[in-house]
Amino acid sequence: MFQLIFHPATAWDRIAGEMEDGPHNVFADYFYPLVSYCALICFAVKLFSVWVADSTASYGEVIPQAFLEIVGFFFIFVGGFYATLYAMRYLLPQSWQGVWQGYPAGILIAYSMTLLIVLRTVGSMVEIFQFLGFAFQFYTLYIVWEGTKKVLPVPDKIRMTVSVLVTLVMILFTTLIARLYEGFIH
């Protein structure tokens, strides 16, 4: 996770090497555990912050609120993953459809969401980081840029366009799902 954020080229080389060894289940090995750990961190932070802010609050009031954080994490990122994967099939021109293949495209999106997941986790712990995280999420473009070179057969002439499109769609869908979910629970 840290290598993917701080040294994307090196991380993508390793991921591409794993792909050559044969398909692996990116969901069971990386994506779901990452979302789960970050959701549990948000759960613990929510419990602790409510307990510190109002020590008279009962756990019967606090735990359902904190549980909604976990459910929201899964809706946002798992939903964002599938929405991005699906939308990219229709957003790319027909002549570029050959570069958007199922397994490599799923690998690209799952690993590229790492920064978005970490930013949301840190934002739940530190309020000011929610604002700063908005700007940092565009670093995802660099992560996707490096990933398209390593795991997708994207020609250099369209690599930037595909990278920008994937990044914007990923950010758009995760943000949209987050806003809808937050509006629904509040």
Side-chain angles (χ1 to χ4, degrees), residues 80 83-94 96-97 99-100 108-109 112 116 138 140-142 144-145 148 152 154 158-173:
T84 302
L85 188 63
Y86 182 77
M88 289 304 296
R89 291 183 185 148
Y90 295 101
L91 292 175
L92 290 175
Q94 189 67 24
W96 297 0
Q97 288 297 322
V99 302
W100 196 253
L108 178 73
I109 294 171
S112 295
L116 300 176
F138 291 100
T140 304
L141 175 60
Y142 179 62
V144 173
W145 168 261
T148 56
L152 281 179
V154 178
I158 63 169
R159 186 169 153 218
M160 180 55 84
T161 305
V162 170
S163 297
V164 168
L165 193 57
V166 168
T167 301
L168 290 177
V169 169
M170 198 171 8
I171 291 170
L172 174 75
F173 277 120

Side-chain angles (χ1 to χ4, degrees), residues 38-76 120 124 181-182 184-186:
C38 290
L40 287 174
I41 290 169
C42 288
F43 179 79
V45 166
K46 183 77 168 185
L47 280 177
F48 184 74
S49 66
V50 170
W51 178 70
V52 168
D54 183 12
S55 60
T56 62
S58 71
Y59 284 113
E61 298 169 5
V62 175
I63 290 177
Q65 291 174 353
F67 183 72
L68 288 174
E69 292 285 327
I70 292 176
V71 173
F73 234 82
F74 282 98
F75 274 128
I76 293 166
R120 184 153 185 98
S124 74
Y181 182 76
E182 290 164 2
F184 182 70
I185 64 170
H186 293 291

Side-chain angles (χ1 to χ4, degrees), residues 107-128:
I107 294 284
L108 178 73
I109 294 171
Y111 283 108
S112 295
M113 281 190 152
T114 298
L115 181 62
L116 300 176
I117 295 167
V118 170
L119 288 174
R120 184 153 185 98
T121 304
V122 173
S124 74
M125 291 186 280
V126 182
E127 288 290 322
I128 189 69

